[in-house]
Amino acid sequence: MYSHWSLVKHCDAYYTHTPSTAAAGTITAGVLSRTANSVTFRITNIAAGAANSTTTGSSFALTGVELTTASTIDATGNISVAYSAATSAGLPIDNTGTLTDVAHTVVNQFTATTTTLLDGVIDVENARQQFVLANATRVVDVLVVTPVEAAAANRDADYTGATITIAGDFSWMDTDTTAGVSAAELANAFTGTAGNDDVVVSTINATSDLITVTLTDGGGFDIEVSTNTFTVDGVGVDNAIIPVSTYIVNTTIRYDTDAGAAATFTAQTNAVGGEWVLNGAQALYNYVAVGFTGLQNTLTISNSGTRGGSVVLEAFDEAGNTYGPVTLADELAPTSNMKISGDELITLLTVPVGTKLSVSAIVNAPAQAIGFSGFTQVVGTGRQLMNVVVTP
């Protein structure tokens, strides 16, 4: 006779077994085989008792069954045990009644969500140095990450802190001539806080595109909300231009196991952190060569809507030199087209003759009504459309 036990969810297990007894006899069993999620015992002997030997009504005890840590961390939900039995000839027996039961239930003690997203709308009419009026102070935007701890259960871990990374374009924080964002510049533009007793330390990487917020528990083991506040300088001469950007959040919870070992749990991976967008339409004209003999360029911006808007141009060349931004004197009127030549770009942006540019055009009007196009033409030949990338 063979008795087969299976852990329904894949979890490694270690075990010992104890010979089972009943009034009618003693069962002797040995392990025949085991896999990562099942074990098969062979009944090798049934010793005669006071009457005919039988297994009916007997108990087969497994003692010391222990799920390994790695496998239970990977599992979620109920972990069930299933039983089946057969004779040595393979005929099923003792397979009625309850054959499956829940042995353990695994839940995530820690989770995290981004409960407040960055949602700044950059105001084109104010030199892109502040947000529109919908933002509370026009210079502040807030990102909130909320870790949560489940109700107390067996073998709870102790929260010791969290590490939150925020990816995006933070180049606007760099306000001096030294490359990168310094600790002082970061402190001026960004504040990370948490409730109760957590100590918060914030750092930024050398390429100004990743902020790391480290929360360290002050001793109360209380999981805490992380509030991250971004503050731009606002409108002013030489103040930073706020970039269009999307933001990604990753959160790792640090804890001590019930055995006292330090460990981590990834609670968020590449979670949406929000975005900063323009209150208008934007496009990039790639490779606009201006001031070359016999070469003509024309940028066309169209407005099919009922609302006009200001037009802002800026550019950069192959060497990384930047030009502008410049707000054109004339708005893009409703149901109209605006054409800008290469010679006009030289004058408007103060660009040297014979420069190869990439030109950004921003229109402070509903994006769905604005169209961007352009062409390059060698005098005496046909036109070639420009490569224009419209920002979503």
Side-chain angles (χ1 to χ4, degrees):
M1 172 179 170
Y2 299 92
S3 182
H4 182 81
W5 293 79
S6 296
L7 286 168
V8 175
K9 286 183 180 277
H10 181 87
C11 293
D12 293 335
Y14 299 100
Y15 49 81
T16 59
H17 73 278
T18 302
S20 301
T21 59
T26 299
I27 299 172
T28 302
V31 176
L32 181 64
S33 63
R34 72 178 289 261
T35 67
N37 64 344
S38 68
V39 58
T40 301
F41 297 90
R42 177 168 54 192
I43 307 301
T44 57
N45 184 57
I46 302 176
N52 292 332
S53 299
T54 176
T55 60
T56 301
S58 298
S59 298
F60 187 76
L62 290 176
T63 61
V65 175
E66 180 179 347
L67 303 179
T68 63
T69 301
S71 62
T72 53
I73 287 177
D74 292 338
T76 57
N78 292 335
I79 299 174
S80 299
V81 177
Y83 160 84
S84 63
T87 67
S88 58
L91 297 175
I93 58 173
D94 295 340
N95 288 341
T96 60
T98 301
L99 303 178
T100 301
D101 197 9
V102 175
H104 299 77
T105 299
V106 179
V107 298
N108 286 328
Q109 182 177 343
F110 303 112
T111 57
T113 55
T114 307
T115 50
T116 301
L117 301 178
L118 293 171
D119 60 356
V121 178
I122 304 163
D123 193 348
V124 175
E125 292 185 334
N126 281 286
R128 288 181 290 152
Q129 293 179 321
Q130 68 179 33
F131 302 115
V132 297
L133 192 58
N135 291 75
T137 67
R138 306 192 78 168
V139 294
V140 171
D141 202 6
V142 178
L143 172 74
V144 178
V145 177
T146 304
V148 176
E149 184 170 5
N154 293 327
R155 299 192 176 278
D156 274 351
D158 289 328
Y159 166 84
T160 59
T163 301
I164 300 167
T165 62
I166 309 167
D169 184 353
F170 306 116
S171 59
W172 56 273
M173 297 182 181
D174 185 5
T175 57
D176 58 23
T177 57
T178 304
V181 177
S182 67
E185 289 170 328
L186 177 64
N188 182 62
F190 176 82
T191 304
T193 60
N196 297 329
D197 60 359
D198 273 14
V199 178
V200 181
V201 176
S202 303
T203 59
I204 191 168
N205 65 350
T207 52
S208 305
D209 58 8
L210 186 71
I211 293 175
T212 300
V213 182
T214 304
L215 285 67
T216 302
D217 182 66
F221 305 118
D222 296 321
I223 198 163
E224 297 179 11
V225 173
S226 172
T227 301
N228 305 281
T229 302
F230 295 83
T231 304
V232 301
D233 288 337
V235 176
V237 177
D238 297 329
N239 283 358
I241 294 173
I242 307 171
V244 173
S245 182
T246 57
Y247 299 93
I248 300 296
V249 175
N250 288 272
T251 300
T252 300
I253 305 296
R254 303 192 305 279
Y255 64 93
D256 289 337
T257 67
D258 67 332
T264 61
F265 171 71
T266 301
Q268 284 184 296
T269 301
N270 295 332
V272 173
E275 61 181 352
W276 285 353
V277 298
L278 295 170
N279 60 335
Q282 180 176 17
L284 181 67
Y285 291 82
N286 291 295
Y287 197 77
V288 182
V290 296
F292 289 88
T293 302
L295 188 63
Q296 297 176 344
N297 296 283
T298 300
L299 282 58
T300 301
I301 307 173
S302 61
N303 183 358
S304 62
T306 58
R307 174 184 160 188
S310 58
V311 179
V312 179
L313 298 178
E314 61 183 315
F316 60 90
D317 62 24
E318 293 179 310
N321 300 309
T322 59
Y323 308 92
V326 171
T327 301
L328 302 188
D330 296 327
E331 286 194 346
L332 178 62
T335 60
S336 69
N337 293 323
M338 175 182 288
K339 295 184 181 295
I340 305 167
S341 69
D343 290 341
E344 287 173 321
L345 288 175
I346 292 174
T347 301
L348 290 167
L349 296 172
T350 316
V351 178
V353 172
T355 303
K356 298 174 183 177
L357 297 173
S358 290
V359 180
S360 171
I362 301 170
V363 182
N364 183 32
Q368 63 270 21
I370 306 302
F372 299 92
S373 61
F375 65 87
T376 299
Q377 181 178 21
V378 176
V379 176
T381 66
R383 297 177 177 181
Q384 181 177 341
L385 292 177
M386 288 184 182
N387 178 13
V388 183
V389 179
V390 178
T391 301

